[in-house]
Amino acid sequence: MNGQLTWETLPWHIIVDIFSYLPINDRIQARLTCSSWSNCFHDRKLWRHFNFHFDTELDPDASALTFLHHHLSHLQSISISLNQAQPLSRQRACQLMDVLVKEMRNRLYGFSIRFTGQNPWCFNDPALVFAVKNLLRNFKDDEVLESKLLSVNLNGFDLTLDDHMVQTIATRNSCLRKVCIQNRCLVDNISSHSIVQLIESCPYLEELHTFYHSVDSAVVDVMSLPNRKAPFRFLSLSCNRSDKFYNLISSQSWMRLTMAHPTLEVTLSFHQSFPHHLINEVLAENMPLVKLNLKIFGWLTDELMQVRNYLSSKLRSLSFSTNVDPLVSAPPGLEPVLVELVECCDHLQELHCHCVLHEEVISQIKSTRELQHFTLYSHQDCFGSRN
Protein backbone atom coordinates (compact mmCIF):
# COMPACT_ATOMS: atom_id res chain seq x y z
CA MET A 1 0.00 0.00 0.00
CA ASN A 2 1.41 3.38 -1.01
CA GLY A 3 2.39 5.55 1.92
CA GLN A 4 2.40 2.63 4.41
CA LEU A 5 5.13 2.82 7.01
CA THR A 6 7.68 0.00 7.09
CA TRP A 7 10.88 -0.46 9.06
CA GLU A 8 12.73 0.98 6.07
CA THR A 9 10.57 4.11 5.93
CA LEU A 10 10.13 4.85 9.63
CA PRO A 11 11.03 8.47 10.44
CA TRP A 12 14.39 9.04 12.06
CA HIS A 13 12.99 10.35 15.36
CA ILE A 14 10.77 7.28 15.83
CA ILE A 15 13.70 4.90 15.40
CA VAL A 16 15.71 6.96 17.88
CA ASP A 17 12.84 6.74 20.38
CA ILE A 18 12.69 2.95 19.93
CA PHE A 19 16.44 2.74 20.46
CA SER A 20 16.10 4.70 23.70
CA TYR A 21 14.13 1.82 25.26
CA LEU A 22 16.73 -0.82 24.36
CA PRO A 23 19.60 -1.96 26.59
CA ILE A 24 22.97 -0.98 25.17
CA ASN A 25 23.73 -4.55 24.04
CA ASP A 26 20.53 -4.75 22.01
CA ARG A 27 21.12 -1.26 20.69
CA ILE A 28 24.57 -2.24 19.46
CA GLN A 29 23.16 -5.27 17.65
CA ALA A 30 20.30 -3.24 16.16
CA ARG A 31 22.69 -0.71 14.64
CA LEU A 32 24.14 -3.45 12.45
CA THR A 33 20.82 -3.81 10.61
CA CYS A 34 21.45 -1.00 8.12
CA SER A 35 23.26 2.30 7.69
CA SER A 36 20.16 4.28 8.67
CA TRP A 37 19.87 2.46 11.99
CA SER A 38 23.59 2.83 12.52
CA ASN A 39 23.23 6.59 12.13
CA CYS A 40 20.34 6.58 14.58
CA PHE A 41 22.51 4.69 17.08
CA HIS A 42 24.89 7.66 17.15
CA ASP A 43 22.16 10.28 17.56
CA ARG A 44 23.11 12.66 20.37
CA LYS A 45 19.67 12.28 22.00
CA LEU A 46 20.52 8.67 22.90
CA TRP A 47 23.72 9.67 24.66
CA ARG A 48 22.59 12.83 26.44
CA HIS A 49 21.28 10.94 29.49
CA PHE A 50 22.99 7.57 29.65
CA ASN A 51 22.92 4.64 32.06
CA PHE A 52 26.16 2.65 32.16
CA HIS A 53 25.33 -0.81 33.52
CA PHE A 54 28.33 -2.85 34.63
CA ASP A 55 27.54 -6.51 35.24
CA THR A 56 29.79 -9.19 33.77
CA GLU A 57 26.92 -11.69 33.70
CA LEU A 58 24.68 -9.42 31.60
CA ASP A 59 27.35 -7.58 29.62
CA PRO A 60 30.73 -9.37 29.74
CA ASP A 61 32.45 -6.86 27.47
CA ALA A 62 31.08 -3.62 28.97
CA SER A 63 29.92 -2.63 25.51
CA ALA A 64 29.05 0.96 26.38
CA LEU A 65 32.70 1.76 27.15
CA THR A 66 33.57 0.89 23.54
CA PHE A 67 31.60 3.90 22.30
CA LEU A 68 32.29 6.24 25.20
CA HIS A 69 34.95 8.37 23.56
CA HIS A 70 32.80 8.87 20.44
CA HIS A 71 29.97 10.41 22.45
CA LEU A 72 31.60 12.28 25.33
CA SER A 73 30.57 15.59 23.77
CA HIS A 74 26.90 14.56 23.99
CA LEU A 75 26.85 13.32 27.59
CA GLN A 76 25.07 15.56 30.08
CA SER A 77 23.74 13.18 32.72
CA ILE A 78 25.39 9.94 33.83
CA SER A 79 23.86 7.06 35.74
CA ILE A 80 26.10 4.17 36.78
CA SER A 81 24.61 0.82 37.83
CA LEU A 82 27.11 -1.82 38.86
CA ASN A 83 27.19 -5.22 40.47
CA GLN A 84 29.54 -4.43 43.34
CA ALA A 85 30.16 -8.14 44.01
CA GLN A 86 32.21 -8.32 40.79
CA PRO A 87 35.73 -6.82 41.00
CA LEU A 88 35.83 -6.34 37.22
CA SER A 89 32.58 -4.35 37.25
CA ARG A 90 33.93 -2.10 40.01
CA GLN A 91 37.13 -1.62 38.04
CA ARG A 92 35.19 -0.63 34.92
CA ALA A 93 33.08 1.85 36.88
CA CYS A 94 36.27 3.47 38.17
CA GLN A 95 37.65 3.53 34.62
CA LEU A 96 34.52 5.34 33.41
CA MET A 97 34.69 7.95 36.17
CA ASP A 98 38.39 8.58 35.46
CA VAL A 99 37.55 9.26 31.82
CA LEU A 100 34.76 11.64 32.81
CA VAL A 101 37.10 13.62 35.04
CA LYS A 102 39.67 14.00 32.26
CA GLU A 103 37.37 14.60 29.32
CA MET A 104 34.05 16.09 30.42
CA ARG A 105 35.44 19.52 31.30
CA ASN A 106 32.62 20.50 33.64
CA ARG A 107 29.82 19.67 31.20
CA LEU A 108 28.13 17.16 33.51
CA TYR A 109 24.66 18.18 34.78
CA GLY A 110 23.65 15.02 36.63
CA PHE A 111 25.43 12.09 38.28
CA SER A 112 24.13 9.01 40.08
CA ILE A 113 25.63 5.67 41.04
CA ARG A 114 23.93 2.64 42.54
CA PHE A 115 24.74 -0.96 43.39
CA THR A 116 22.69 -3.78 41.90
CA GLY A 117 24.29 -6.83 43.55
CA GLN A 118 24.88 -8.12 47.07
CA ASN A 119 27.69 -6.63 49.13
CA PRO A 120 30.49 -9.14 49.76
CA TRP A 121 31.22 -9.86 53.40
CA CYS A 122 32.94 -6.87 55.07
CA PHE A 123 32.76 -5.09 51.73
CA ASN A 124 34.88 -1.99 51.31
CA ASP A 125 36.34 -0.50 48.15
CA PRO A 126 38.52 2.59 48.73
CA ALA A 127 39.30 2.82 45.01
CA LEU A 128 35.62 3.12 44.14
CA VAL A 129 35.00 5.71 46.86
CA PHE A 130 38.01 7.69 45.66
CA ALA A 131 36.78 7.58 42.05
CA VAL A 132 33.38 8.99 43.09
CA LYS A 133 34.98 11.72 45.19
CA ASN A 134 37.40 12.56 42.41
CA LEU A 135 34.55 13.02 39.96
CA LEU A 136 32.45 15.07 42.38
CA ARG A 137 35.46 17.21 43.21
CA ASN A 138 34.79 18.47 39.72
CA PHE A 139 38.27 19.42 38.55
CA LYS A 140 39.12 21.48 41.58
CA ASP A 141 42.56 22.36 40.16
CA ASP A 142 40.87 24.25 37.32
CA GLU A 143 39.72 27.50 38.92
CA VAL A 144 38.50 28.98 35.62
CA LEU A 145 35.62 26.64 34.85
CA GLU A 146 32.43 26.70 36.89
CA SER A 147 30.58 23.52 37.73
CA LYS A 148 27.24 22.91 35.99
CA LEU A 149 26.32 19.94 38.17
CA LEU A 150 22.65 20.14 39.21
CA SER A 151 21.99 16.70 40.70
CA VAL A 152 23.99 14.12 42.69
CA ASN A 153 22.37 10.84 43.74
CA LEU A 154 24.28 8.46 46.02
CA ASN A 155 21.20 6.82 47.57
CA GLY A 156 22.10 3.49 45.97
CA PHE A 157 25.83 3.76 46.71
CA ASP A 158 25.87 1.42 49.72
CA LEU A 159 29.25 2.22 51.16
CA THR A 160 29.81 4.31 54.29
CA LEU A 161 29.30 7.99 53.54
CA ASP A 162 31.11 10.60 55.61
CA ASP A 163 31.68 14.32 56.01
CA HIS A 164 34.48 14.32 53.48
CA MET A 165 32.12 13.00 50.79
CA VAL A 166 29.57 15.73 51.57
CA GLN A 167 32.27 18.41 51.62
CA THR A 168 33.56 17.11 48.29
CA ILE A 169 30.07 17.52 46.81
CA ALA A 170 29.73 21.04 48.20
CA THR A 171 33.20 22.35 47.34
CA ARG A 172 32.79 23.50 43.72
CA ASN A 173 29.17 22.66 42.90
CA SER A 174 27.28 25.79 43.91
CA CYS A 175 24.57 25.23 41.26
CA LEU A 176 23.31 21.99 42.80
CA ARG A 177 19.53 21.63 43.04
CA LYS A 178 19.29 18.06 44.32
CA VAL A 179 21.57 16.02 46.61
CA CYS A 180 20.80 12.43 47.67
CA ILE A 181 23.11 11.00 50.34
CA GLN A 182 20.70 8.58 52.02
CA ASN A 183 21.91 5.07 51.30
CA ARG A 184 21.05 1.75 52.94
CA CYS A 185 24.34 1.37 54.78
CA LEU A 186 23.67 1.15 58.52
CA VAL A 187 26.91 2.98 59.29
CA ASP A 188 27.31 6.58 58.21
CA ASN A 189 29.47 9.44 59.43
CA ILE A 190 27.59 12.44 58.06
CA SER A 191 27.41 15.16 60.70
CA SER A 192 25.16 18.19 60.80
CA HIS A 193 28.25 20.35 60.36
CA SER A 194 28.83 19.03 56.83
CA ILE A 195 25.12 19.46 55.97
CA VAL A 196 25.37 23.10 57.07
CA GLN A 197 28.38 23.52 54.78
CA LEU A 198 26.47 21.90 51.91
CA ILE A 199 23.46 24.20 52.32
CA GLU A 200 25.62 27.30 52.66
CA SER A 201 27.68 26.37 49.59
CA CYS A 202 24.65 25.53 47.43
CA PRO A 203 22.15 28.43 47.61
CA TYR A 204 19.97 26.89 44.87
CA LEU A 205 19.54 23.56 46.67
CA GLU A 206 15.85 22.54 46.62
CA GLU A 207 15.89 18.82 47.42
CA LEU A 208 17.90 16.95 50.04
CA HIS A 209 17.89 13.26 51.00
CA THR A 210 19.91 12.52 54.14
CA PHE A 211 19.81 10.92 57.59
CA TYR A 212 17.70 12.26 60.42
CA HIS A 213 20.63 12.69 62.78
CA SER A 214 22.40 14.84 60.18
CA VAL A 215 19.77 17.56 60.60
CA ASP A 216 19.73 19.60 63.82
CA SER A 217 18.81 23.11 64.90
CA ALA A 218 21.91 24.56 63.18
CA VAL A 219 20.83 22.99 59.88
CA VAL A 220 17.29 24.29 60.33
CA ASP A 221 18.65 27.79 61.01
CA VAL A 222 20.68 27.77 57.79
CA MET A 223 17.79 26.34 55.77
CA SER A 224 15.50 29.07 57.13
CA LEU A 225 17.69 32.01 56.14
CA PRO A 226 15.79 34.51 53.95
CA ASN A 227 18.66 35.14 51.52
CA ARG A 228 18.54 31.73 49.82
CA LYS A 229 18.22 31.90 46.02
CA ALA A 230 15.71 29.03 45.86
CA PRO A 231 13.16 27.69 48.37
CA PHE A 232 13.51 24.22 49.81
CA ARG A 233 10.83 22.00 48.30
CA PHE A 234 11.64 18.46 49.45
CA LEU A 235 13.42 16.90 52.43
CA SER A 236 13.74 13.13 52.87
CA LEU A 237 14.99 11.84 56.23
CA SER A 238 15.95 8.29 57.17
CA CYS A 239 15.88 7.29 60.84
CA ASN A 240 18.20 4.53 62.05
CA ARG A 241 19.89 3.40 65.24
CA SER A 242 22.41 6.29 65.16
CA ASP A 243 19.65 8.78 65.98
CA LYS A 244 19.53 7.74 69.65
CA PHE A 245 22.83 9.58 70.17
CA TYR A 246 21.61 12.92 68.77
CA ASN A 247 19.10 15.64 69.57
CA LEU A 248 15.69 15.38 67.91
CA ILE A 249 14.14 18.09 65.75
CA SER A 250 11.59 20.02 67.79
CA SER A 251 8.14 21.16 66.69
CA GLN A 252 9.40 24.76 67.03
CA SER A 253 12.17 24.05 64.53
CA TRP A 254 9.68 22.53 62.10
CA MET A 255 7.45 25.58 62.45
CA ARG A 256 10.35 27.90 61.72
CA LEU A 257 11.30 25.85 58.68
CA THR A 258 7.78 25.71 57.23
CA MET A 259 7.36 29.45 57.71
CA ALA A 260 10.52 30.01 55.69
CA HIS A 261 9.51 27.42 53.05
CA PRO A 262 5.70 27.08 52.91
CA THR A 263 5.80 24.54 50.06
CA LEU A 264 8.29 22.22 51.78
CA GLU A 265 7.37 18.51 51.77
CA VAL A 266 8.98 15.93 54.08
CA THR A 267 9.21 12.16 53.80
CA LEU A 268 10.23 10.09 56.79
CA SER A 269 11.32 6.45 56.96
CA PHE A 270 12.19 4.40 60.05
CA HIS A 271 14.55 1.46 59.94
CA GLN A 272 13.77 -1.48 62.22
CA SER A 273 16.88 -0.69 64.24
CA PHE A 274 15.49 2.68 65.33
CA PRO A 275 14.62 2.86 69.07
CA HIS A 276 10.85 2.37 69.32
CA HIS A 277 10.38 4.69 72.29
CA LEU A 278 11.70 7.67 70.31
CA ILE A 279 9.35 7.41 67.33
CA ASN A 280 6.69 9.76 68.69
CA GLU A 281 9.32 12.36 69.54
CA VAL A 282 10.51 12.30 65.93
CA LEU A 283 6.90 12.59 64.71
CA ALA A 284 6.82 16.17 65.94
CA GLU A 285 3.99 18.60 65.37
CA ASN A 286 4.33 21.10 62.48
CA MET A 287 6.35 18.73 60.30
CA PRO A 288 4.99 19.00 56.70
CA LEU A 289 4.91 15.21 56.38
CA VAL A 290 3.68 13.78 53.06
CA LYS A 291 5.08 10.24 53.23
CA LEU A 292 5.75 7.96 56.21
CA ASN A 293 7.29 4.48 56.26
CA LEU A 294 7.32 2.74 59.66
CA LYS A 295 9.30 -0.45 59.15
CA ILE A 296 9.54 -1.08 62.87
CA PHE A 297 8.01 -4.53 63.54
CA GLY A 298 6.25 -3.55 66.73
CA TRP A 299 2.92 -2.31 68.11
CA LEU A 300 2.34 1.04 66.41
CA THR A 301 -1.03 2.11 67.83
CA ASP A 302 0.40 5.10 69.71
CA GLU A 303 2.47 6.15 66.72
CA LEU A 304 -0.50 6.09 64.34
CA MET A 305 -2.44 8.07 66.92
CA GLN A 306 0.35 10.66 66.94
CA VAL A 307 0.14 10.94 63.16
CA ARG A 308 -3.63 11.23 63.32
CA ASN A 309 -3.48 14.02 65.90
CA TYR A 310 -0.66 16.14 64.48
CA LEU A 311 0.54 15.10 61.02
CA SER A 312 -2.49 14.08 58.97
CA SER A 313 -3.17 17.32 57.08
CA LYS A 314 -0.66 16.73 54.25
CA LEU A 315 -0.03 12.99 54.45
CA ARG A 316 -0.34 11.26 51.06
CA SER A 317 1.42 7.94 51.68
CA LEU A 318 1.57 5.66 54.73
CA SER A 319 3.28 2.28 55.07
CA PHE A 320 3.83 0.33 58.28
CA SER A 321 4.82 -3.14 59.48
CA THR A 322 3.87 -4.48 62.91
CA ASN A 323 5.56 -7.86 62.57
CA VAL A 324 8.23 -9.58 60.49
CA ASP A 325 5.42 -11.86 59.28
CA PRO A 326 2.87 -9.65 57.44
CA LEU A 327 0.14 -12.27 57.96
CA VAL A 328 0.03 -11.74 61.72
CA SER A 329 -3.12 -9.97 62.98
CA ALA A 330 -3.02 -6.27 63.79
CA PRO A 331 -2.20 -5.49 67.44
CA PRO A 332 -5.13 -4.71 69.77
CA GLY A 333 -6.49 -1.19 69.32
CA LEU A 334 -4.68 -0.49 66.04
CA GLU A 335 -7.63 -0.93 63.67
CA PRO A 336 -9.93 1.81 65.06
CA VAL A 337 -7.00 4.23 65.19
CA LEU A 338 -6.11 3.37 61.60
CA VAL A 339 -9.68 4.02 60.45
CA GLU A 340 -9.71 7.38 62.23
CA LEU A 341 -6.36 8.25 60.69
CA VAL A 342 -7.61 7.47 57.19
CA GLU A 343 -10.68 9.64 57.84
CA CYS A 344 -8.44 12.55 58.89
CA CYS A 345 -6.06 12.30 55.90
CA ASP A 346 -7.88 14.17 53.15
CA HIS A 347 -4.95 13.76 50.75
CA LEU A 348 -4.14 10.10 51.41
CA GLN A 349 -3.45 8.26 48.12
CA GLU A 350 -1.38 5.28 49.21
CA LEU A 351 -1.75 2.91 52.17
CA HIS A 352 0.26 -0.24 52.85
CA CYS A 353 -0.64 -2.12 56.05
CA HIS A 354 1.61 -5.14 56.50
CA CYS A 355 -0.60 -6.90 59.03
CA VAL A 356 -3.94 -8.72 58.87
CA LEU A 357 -7.06 -6.56 59.26
CA HIS A 358 -10.71 -7.44 59.69
CA GLU A 359 -12.76 -7.41 56.48
CA GLU A 360 -15.08 -4.68 57.75
CA VAL A 361 -12.09 -2.47 58.52
CA ILE A 362 -10.78 -2.87 54.98
CA SER A 363 -14.21 -2.06 53.59
CA GLN A 364 -14.46 1.04 55.76
CA ILE A 365 -11.03 2.23 54.63
CA LYS A 366 -11.88 1.74 50.95
CA SER A 367 -15.20 3.53 51.30
CA THR A 368 -13.56 6.46 53.10
CA ARG A 369 -10.69 7.10 50.67
CA GLU A 370 -10.25 6.33 47.00
CA LEU A 371 -6.71 4.99 47.30
CA GLN A 372 -4.54 4.80 44.20
CA HIS A 373 -2.25 2.13 45.67
CA PHE A 374 -2.84 -0.07 48.68
CA THR A 375 -1.85 -3.30 50.44
CA LEU A 376 -4.54 -4.66 52.77
CA TYR A 377 -4.67 -8.20 54.17
CA SER A 378 -7.96 -9.61 55.42
CA HIS A 379 -8.71 -12.56 57.72
CA GLN A 380 -10.85 -14.16 55.00
CA ASP A 381 -8.07 -14.01 52.48
CA CYS A 382 -4.66 -13.99 54.08
CA PHE A 383 -3.04 -13.26 50.76
CA GLY A 384 -4.87 -9.98 50.77
CA SER A 385 -6.00 -7.46 48.25
CA ARG A 386 -3.15 -5.72 46.52
CA ASN A 387 -3.26 -2.92 43.96
Side-chain angles (χ1 to χ4, degrees):
M1 183 183 297
N2 292 334
Q4 184 177 7
L5 285 178
T6 65
W7 283 109
E8 290 78 12
T9 60
L10 273 178
W12 177 289
H13 69 278
I14 292 181
I15 299 176
V16 171
D17 282 342
I18 293 173
F19 269 45
S20 68
Y21 291 98
L22 297 178
I24 183 61
N25 285 357
D26 294 339
R27 202 182 298 177
I28 290 172
Q29 292 300 315
R31 78 184 176 92
L32 302 176
T33 303
C34 62
S35 59
S36 175
W37 284 25
S38 179
N39 291 334
C40 289
F41 172 83
H42 295 287
D43 189 279
R44 65 175 60 200
K45 179 182 177 181
L46 293 174
W47 295 89
R48 197 171 295 156
H49 308 285
F50 198 83
N51 181 14
F52 291 90
H53 196 156
F54 298 110
D55 190 320
T56 56
E57 294 181 3
L58 302 176
D59 184 10
D61 301 321
S63 307
L65 289 179
T66 307
F67 299 92
L68 178 62
H69 289 281
H70 299 288
H71 299 285
L72 276 173
S73 60
H74 301 154
L75 292 175
Q76 294 180 0
S77 178
I78 301 294
S79 176
I80 299 175
S81 303
L82 72 130
N83 188 337
Q84 74 277 26
Q86 302 167 347
L88 182 57
S89 292
R90 301 200 302 268
Q91 180 182 339
R92 286 169 171 170
C94 292
Q95 177 187 346
L96 169 63
M97 287 184 277
D98 289 343
V99 171
L100 294 177
V101 169
K102 295 174 183 177
E103 304 292 341
M104 283 298 291
R105 305 297 293 169
N106 286 33
R107 291 194 303 270
L108 204 62
Y109 286 87
F111 173 76
S112 69
I113 181 170
R114 68 183 185 94
F115 292 161
T116 60
Q118 295 292 326
N119 278 0
W121 183 251
C122 298
F123 175 57
N124 186 30
D125 193 330
L128 190 57
V129 173
F130 175 81
V132 172
K133 289 182 178 179
N134 196 37
L135 177 62
L136 295 176
R137 194 174 291 115
N138 205 34
F139 326 113
K140 187 176 180 181
D141 294 335
D142 190 342
E143 298 295 338
V144 178
L145 297 175
E146 181 182 357
S147 167
K148 296 180 181 179
L149 198 63
L150 301 178
S151 173
V152 172
N153 190 339
L154 303 182
N155 279 0
F157 187 64
D158 294 328
L159 287 171
T160 300
L161 301 177
D162 56 16
D163 284 347
H164 187 257
M165 178 68 80
V166 178
Q167 291 161 3
T168 300
I169 295 172
T171 301
R172 293 277 321 280
N173 300 304
S174 61
C175 294
L176 277 168
R177 264 65 169 180
K178 177 180 179 180
V179 174
C180 303
I181 45 176
Q182 185 188 86
N183 62 14
R184 294 173 297 179
C185 190
L186 288 179
V187 179
D188 72 274
N189 296 311
I190 298 178
S191 69
S192 59
H193 176 74
S194 65
I195 298 297
V196 167
Q197 181 181 347
L198 174 68
I199 295 172
E200 289 178 336
S201 302
C202 305
Y204 296 97
L205 191 64
E206 299 176 336
E207 182 172 343
L208 176 63
H209 300 234
T210 187
F211 299 96
Y212 183 88
H213 62 258
S214 302
V215 178
D216 60 9
S217 58
V219 174
V220 171
D221 289 340
V222 174
M223 292 177 68
S224 305
L225 290 176
N227 59 347
R228 289 193 55 80
K229 296 183 179 179
F232 265 93
R233 301 188 185 279
F234 188 84
L235 178 63
S236 175
L237 298 176
S238 176
C239 304
N240 59 31
R241 60 185 177 185
S242 300
D243 297 317
K244 63 183 179 182
F245 302 112
Y246 297 86
N247 294 326
L248 304 179
I249 306 173
S250 67
S251 59
Q252 292 78 14
S253 294
W254 283 118
M255 178 178 290
R256 191 163 70 253
L257 192 55
T258 52
M259 290 181 64
H261 305 285
T263 60
L264 176 68
E265 295 183 341
V266 174
T267 69
L268 200 59
S269 62
F270 289 83
H271 188 268
Q272 62 197 52
S273 63
F274 184 82
H276 197 142
H277 67 282
L278 293 178
I279 296 176
N280 272 356
E281 294 186 50
V282 172
L283 296 172
E285 189 176 0
N286 299 316
M287 182 194 308
L289 186 66
V290 297
K291 183 176 182 178
L292 175 62
N293 184 1
L294 287 162
K295 190 178 180 180
I296 294 297
F297 305 141
W299 287 23
L300 297 172
T301 305
D302 291 342
E303 289 73 21
L304 294 184
M305 194 178 300
Q306 176 84 353
V307 176
R308 180 201 64 187
N309 292 339
Y310 301 111
L311 300 172
S312 61
S313 61
K314 296 186 177 182
L315 192 66
R316 296 198 298 267
S317 175
L318 172 64
S319 176
F320 63 90
S321 304
T322 60
N323 197 289
V324 177
D325 182 0
L327 300 183
V328 172
S329 296
L334 184 140
E335 290 177 312
V337 172
L338 177 61
V339 171
E340 292 175 3
L341 172 58
V342 171
E343 291 174 348
C344 293
C345 296
D346 294 335
H347 303 288
L348 192 66
Q349 302 172 356
E350 189 170 352
L351 177 62
H352 300 284
C353 308
H354 299 286
C355 60
V356 176
L357 304 173
H358 286 91
E359 186 67 34
E360 56 269 24
V361 172
I362 295 177
S363 298
Q364 193 170 352
I365 289 173
K366 290 181 178 180
S367 63
T368 303
R369 292 282 170 247
E370 190 172 338
L371 300 171
Q372 296 180 6
H373 305 281
F374 58 86
T375 303
L376 300 169
Y377 303 97
S378 68
H379 285 275
Q380 285 75 11
D381 182 6
C382 287
F383 292 100
S385 173
R386 303 181 185 181
N387 184 26

